[in-house]
Amino acid sequence: MRVEQEDFKVIQDDWKILTSEEGMALVEAHLDEYPERLALSLRNPTVTRQVRMLQRCREKLPSFYAARCVVPQVPYEQSSSEATARVRVSQLCDELPPEARRLAVDLTCGLGVDAWALSRGFERVVAVEIDAERAEMARWNMQRLGAENVEVVCRSAEEFVAGYGDGRPIDVVYVDPSRKREDGRRVYSLEESTPNMVELMPALQRVARRVVVKLSPLFDVAEVRRVFGEEVRVEVVSLEGECKEVVAAVGFGKGVRVTVIRRGEVRHFDFEWNAVGSNAQPKGNIDAESTEAWPYVLAPDVAFVKGRVVEAYVEQVLVREVSGLRWTMCGEYVLASAIPTGFAGTAYRILSVHPYQPKVLKRQLREQGVRRINLHRRGFPYSAEQIARSLGVALGGATEVVCAVVGGAPMVMVVERLWNTTGSI
């Protein structure tokens, strides 16, 4: 991933401090202090910045924290988390025989999280970085991490691919294109990314057996098919209920894979391309009597929604787990007669159902003494703030409310949370 020059200028100017014995000792001595207080007492902005960034690494990049790597802010924010990078590489290795795990190339090194993860599954890794100073930082970080099988080369992705002549195809090429221009403007198409993946793919496929491209979480699965063709697998990865990655993999089959990571558990769900829908057409209706037929509302993990396979998930997975399961789509929610044991998402028991009539609901909530609600919405025409304002309540609280559109009509369900991906809570 590219790093803005302004951000790396700080690291370039302070590099000697951060990699000196004195500088590392200062960081170590103050690592548990509040950066705000440290800035006033130490008066060393270089060390203060490094302390702040390492503290942020404790959860997202624990190995980089433990190794006391140099971590600038922008590449930290743009990097994969260790959890998702490890799962991705573990999955790649599970699908490849040992003889196909000899050489991996990370074409967009940046901070080096992906190169480090690849080093744990491949014999040799080449990390390509266009900027000399960033390449130096990546080399230093790899040494701190003990990743001796990672070679960092300073070259553009296009130059590396054009000049590759190692005598054997690369087993896997990994690319995380930059989605920011030099002026800071964000871009969304692969044609505008750096490197331009649409232009680079033909050359990549001449030197590599398999290509994996990390995309923006906003990237649409239909766009993946347009760019990479039918022989591509798109993977949507969620971590603790948040969509983290959309990944296009060429050479690993085709279709949609949903990967749900929650509380250390990793689960994969595979669907063919013909199972992908729009998630936009609700079925059936709900009213005050609906709770007898469908007492539960299921919110499948966000990765199923992003992959447009909510309905396929119910039809191909959940109905096999519960004999005689009755269900109907409710926008991107599912009304169900039972909660399948292996359900990947959040489940609620429906307590009551109401048309979205703000004045009526506002009066009812006031009469019940409800001043705050925990609001859930998918495909609803109003934002959470607009709903809360219209109902005269604040967001956050013990009362759980699900908002959905059914049969073209906005509906409000007062619910009780029962299940969150890995079990009852």
Side-chain angles (χ1 to χ4, degrees), residues 131 138 242:
D131 183 88
E242 181 181 354

Side-chain angles (χ1 to χ4, degrees), residues 390-404:
S390 70
L391 300 182
V393 295
L395 292 173
T399 301
E400 303 266 1
V401 172
V402 170
C403 296

Side-chain angles (χ1 to χ4, degrees), residues 39 48 70 98 119 133 138 146 171 196 211 219-220 234 304 319 341 388 394 407:
T48 301
V70 173
S119 75
E133 286 77 18
D171 292 309
N196 182 328
V211 179
F219 211 86
D220 188 79
V234 57
F304 294 103
V319 295
T341 303

Side-chain angles (χ1 to χ4, degrees), residues 16 34 72 79 84 105 168 214 264 353:
K16 291 183 179 179
Y34 289 107
S79 70
T84 53
V105 173
R168 66 182 300 273
K214 179 182 173 183
V353 179

Side-chain angles (χ1 to χ4, degrees), residues 90-390:
S90 175
Q91 177 178 309
L92 293 178
C93 292
D94 287 345
E95 298 183 64
L96 297 176
E99 62 271 18
R101 286 185 264 141
R102 291 175 180 160
L103 174 61
V105 173
D106 179 0
L107 276 184
T108 47
C109 176
L111 189 58
V113 177
D114 297 302
W116 169 79
L118 288 166
S119 75
R120 301 167 70 87
F122 289 79
E123 292 179 13
R124 176 175 170 235
V125 176
V126 177
V128 181
E129 175 51 59
I130 191 172
D131 183 88
E133 286 77 18
R134 282 176 256 155
E136 180 183 2
M137 180 186 70
R139 290 190 191 98
W140 196 82
N141 283 345
M142 291 302 110
Q143 291 175 357
R144 300 287 295 180
L145 289 160
E148 297 179 357
N149 59 336
V150 177
E151 175 190 0
V152 180
V153 299
C154 184
R155 203 171 302 171
S156 73
E158 295 84 353
E159 290 172 339
F160 179 85
V161 173
Y164 182 77
D166 206 15
R168 66 182 300 273
I170 302 166
D171 292 309
V172 175
V173 168
Y174 175 80
V175 195
D176 182 2
S178 172
R179 290 174 285 276
K180 275 191 175 181
R181 292 186 178 277
E182 292 184 0
D183 60 5
R185 184 169 62 89
R186 183 168 291 277
V187 298
Y188 296 97
S189 71
L190 282 175
E191 289 89 344
E192 296 179 290
S193 66
T194 306
N196 182 328
M197 289 307 302
V198 176
E199 291 184 353
L200 190 60
M201 274 302 293
L204 267 180
Q205 291 181 290
R206 284 194 292 270
V207 300
R209 291 189 174 98
R210 304 163 192 87
V211 179
V212 177
V213 184
K214 179 182 173 183
L215 306 170
S216 163
L218 300 176
F219 211 86
D220 188 79
V221 296
E223 182 70 2
V224 176
R225 294 176 77 180
R226 182 189 72 80
V227 174
F228 296 98
E230 294 294 320
E231 299 299 316
V232 63
R233 183 179 71 195
V234 57
E235 180 178 12
V236 184
V237 182
S238 71
L239 176 64
E240 305 301 337
E242 181 181 354
C243 184
K244 287 295 186 180
E245 293 183 357
V246 175
V247 178
V250 178
F252 291 91
K254 57 184 179 179
V256 175
R257 166 167 287 186
V258 168
T259 296
V260 177
I261 310 171
R262 185 72 71 99
R263 300 173 186 172
E265 180 185 14
V266 182
R267 303 174 66 190
H268 302 298
F269 305 86
D270 291 311
F271 305 92
E272 296 181 0
W273 278 120
N274 59 15
V276 177
S278 65
N279 287 347
Q281 298 301 318
K283 299 177 180 178
N285 289 299
I286 58 173
D287 52 31
E289 287 72 39
S290 297
T291 55
E292 294 184 8
W294 299 305
Y296 304 104
V297 56
L298 311 180
D301 188 272
V302 65
F304 294 103
V305 178
K306 181 64 185 177
R308 298 188 178 189
V309 289
V310 170
E311 191 167 353
Y313 170 54
V314 179
E315 292 179 334
Q316 298 178 23
V317 180
L318 298 187
V319 295
R320 297 176 183 176
E321 296 182 359
V322 178
S323 178
L325 178 70
R326 299 189 310 278
W327 63 279
T328 186
M329 295 297 297
C330 182
E332 293 169 357
Y333 293 105
V334 181
L335 300 181
S337 59
I339 306 173
T341 303
F343 175 62
T346 306
Y348 308 89
R349 177 184 289 113
I350 301 175
L351 303 179
S352 60
V353 179
H354 313 270
Y356 183 63
Q357 299 174 345
K359 291 183 178 179
V360 175
L361 289 170
K362 183 176 183 179
R363 183 177 65 253
Q364 291 175 345
L365 291 172
R366 186 185 302 116
E367 291 173 351
Q368 295 169 12
V370 176
R371 296 291 180 264
R372 305 180 69 88
I373 62 173
N374 193 16
L375 185 64
H376 313 277
R377 54 178 292 279
R378 288 182 178 178
F380 205 70
Y382 308 105
S383 69
E385 292 74 17
Q386 288 174 318
I387 297 169
R389 193 182 310 117
S390 70

